Amino acid sequence: MVMGESADPVDLLVIGGGPGGYTAALRAAQLGRQVTLVERDLIGGVCLNVGCIPSKTLIEAADARRTVEEVLGEAVSPGPDLLAWQQHRAGVVRGLAGGISDLLRSAGVCVVTGSARFTSPHRVAVERFDDATAFLEFRHAIVATGSRPVALAAAPMDGVRIVDSTGLLALATLPEHLVVVGAGYIGVELATACAKLGSDVTIVEARDRVLPDMPPGLVRPVAGRLAALGVTVLTGASLTAVSGEDVACEVRGELVRLPADVLLIAVGRTPNTDDLGLENARITTTRDGRIPVGPDRIVAGTDIAAIGDITAGPMLAHKASAEAVVAAEAICGRKVAFDPAAVPLVVFSDPELASAGHTEQSAREAGLRVRAVTVALAGLGRAATMGAREGSTQIVVDVDADAIVGVHMVGPHASELIAEGVLAIEMAASPGDVAATIHAHPTLAEGLHEAASRYTFTER
Ligand code: FAD
Ligand code: NAD
């Protein structure tokens, strides 16, 4: 690599090696491009190294422990330190990271370690860890720099007692008293896991319920389970101060003090676009720091595409990787657009919650004439064998088009079951199509079949 002011020529530059960046690099390499990927930290990004994968390994461990406790009817003792789990997590991440690096290597992608910053519309400076700066002159670029946690002024992160999700997932010891600020995806998933492992957990949420952006009908069983696990949920609440052993919160006008040996801040994430020198590439971000892109993910008037958490829409790994394929193909001259009928939203709560496409309300607001059919989980044979009573599957049907436009589930394995719902929406399947599709018995998938059959045969 050339150092100093002269620049190495690069055909396609990808900035960021998360699910957006590495997927784009692989797709572009398949299409015959010479790809250079710059990553400042670890290949796999947030999702693999400190997000989706580590959090789900913690949830699996917590579920296993809780199931043993519930089946044996007594607490598993002694309570876990987290060192054995940390080793397990590291092994899982290492294995998956190795797989991605192998794919990039065999696709001929050149991986450069360093932090990239635009210096002109076709050039970046890459700061390396030996303090040397290299310049790359690119023909096209795809930016996939992801996001970072939002901080709270009342509780500056110290990585030890006041942590973000990365800090919590790096703990060697389970907190005795955990206070979680924010009851969104991260707050609910990690609060549930820590409660199952034995922490005393309190959630402090500013709005009026947990998972305030999810349909209320889906959230009710999750809120019920949090209560059953002994998690205290304070809504309409905000953190005001942190001191010594405890934290102070204002809850609907009253001051409450909570013991906290660890405080998890999970109040959202913000895109990594402020330190990219975007102005030098003639790119202006929106007010929330996202990069505006066209349907093909290319920034108008540039040779640069943007994908993942730095563009509009939910900050999810599968949205980033789906956009990556579109961006790579568009940069290679194909006529493509990112226009999914549904991006599934899944919370790995207990029970799991999954939502795809229109809710009844959003469909009506979009001017559709819709009917919703909801089937309770308790009526399914498989649910009875699992002892699962709380949960439901709902379909939302566009009556005029005779097409399923929304599927919403809460219950065991909803994270897996939603895939059939997303496929139905994407293929514009009618309820009759799903009703005519034989579903194995006894399975939880029969919930969707039952909802479609009920619409087709009785409620139409
Ligand atoms: P990232 O994964 O953030 O990757 C961006 C990469 O760019 C990083 O590796 C970063 O080091 C690098 N980078 C940034 N700036 C530069 C620069 N200037 N130069 C070079 N490199 C740079 N999503 C799900 O779909 N399912 C889940 O279950 C899920 N669980 C999550 C759990 C947690 C605890 C967290 C925090 C997130 C979770 N997410 C989940 C969200 C998911 O991790 C993100 O949506 C996803 O990682 C976004 O992918 P990305 O490629 O846009 O960015
Ligand atoms: P979030 O947006 O999901 O939830 C943040 C919560 O914090 C909201 O309920 C909000 O009302 C609350 N809040 C905001 N400010 C507050 C304050 N000052 N005091 C108290 N409460 C406050 O954000 P997150 O949980 O940090 O997760 C970030 C993103 O990461 C998610 O939006 C999601 O895109 C992604 N993620 C996805 C998954 C998954 O797909 N299963 C899991 C984890 C994270």
Side-chain angles (χ1 to χ4, degrees), residues 15-21 38-42 44-47 50-52 55-56 114-117 144-147 165 169 186 189-190 269 272 275-276 307-310 315-318 320 346 348:
I15 307 176
V38 181
E39 167 56 57
R40 68 180 177 193
D41 195 357
L42 295 169
V46 167
C47 180
V50 292
C52 325
S55 63
K56 269 77 240 179
S115 191
R117 191 169 195 284
T145 47
S147 63
S165 53
L169 290 164
I186 292 176
E189 290 184 3
L190 296 183
R269 294 179 64 85
N272 291 325
D275 202 19
L276 271 177
I307 55 175
D309 286 5
I310 57 171
M315 291 183 169
L316 297 173
H318 45 275
V346 172
F348 293 80

Side-chain angles (χ1 to χ4, degrees), residues 46 51-52 55-56 59 147-152 165 180-190 204-214 234 236-239 265-270 290 309 313-318 344-349 353:
V46 167
C52 325
S55 63
K56 269 77 240 179
I59 289 167
S147 63
R148 62 182 185 276
V150 169
L152 277 187
S165 53
V180 176
V181 185
Y185 283 85
I186 292 176
V188 166
E189 290 184 3
L190 296 183
V204 176
E205 165 59 45
R207 287 162 69 187
D208 62 353
R209 61 185 172 89
V210 296
L211 298 171
D213 293 322
M214 293 292 172
L234 304 176
S238 62
L239 186 83
I265 309 296
V267 294
R269 294 179 64 85
T270 189
R290 309 242 194 165
D309 286 5
M315 291 183 169
L316 297 173
H318 45 275
L345 311 178
V346 172
V347 187
F348 293 80
S349 44
L353 179 162

Side-chain angles (χ1 to χ4, degrees), residues 9-105:
V10 164
D11 177 22
L12 172 59
L13 174 71
V14 176
I15 307 176
Y22 73 73
T23 307
L26 289 171
R27 183 69 190 119
Q30 282 166 354
L31 293 170
R33 300 294 295 262
Q34 295 296 312
V35 183
T36 297
L37 187 158
V38 181
E39 167 56 57
R40 68 180 177 193
D41 195 357
L42 295 169
I43 288 293
V46 167
C47 180
L48 172 55
N49 295 289
V50 292
C52 325
I53 299 300
S55 63
K56 269 77 240 179
T57 66
L58 187 72
I59 289 167
E60 292 290 341
D63 282 350
R65 179 185 157 103
R66 184 69 188 180
T67 303
V68 169
E69 284 187 339
E70 286 180 352
V71 170
L72 296 181
E74 59 190 44
V76 177
S77 64
D81 68 33
L82 292 174
L83 285 175
W85 170 74
Q86 286 292 1
Q87 280 178 0
H88 167 70
R89 174 199 57 78
V92 172
V93 170
R94 209 170 30 246
L96 291 168
I100 297 168
S101 294
D102 286 349
L103 287 174
L104 290 169
R105 200 174 307 115

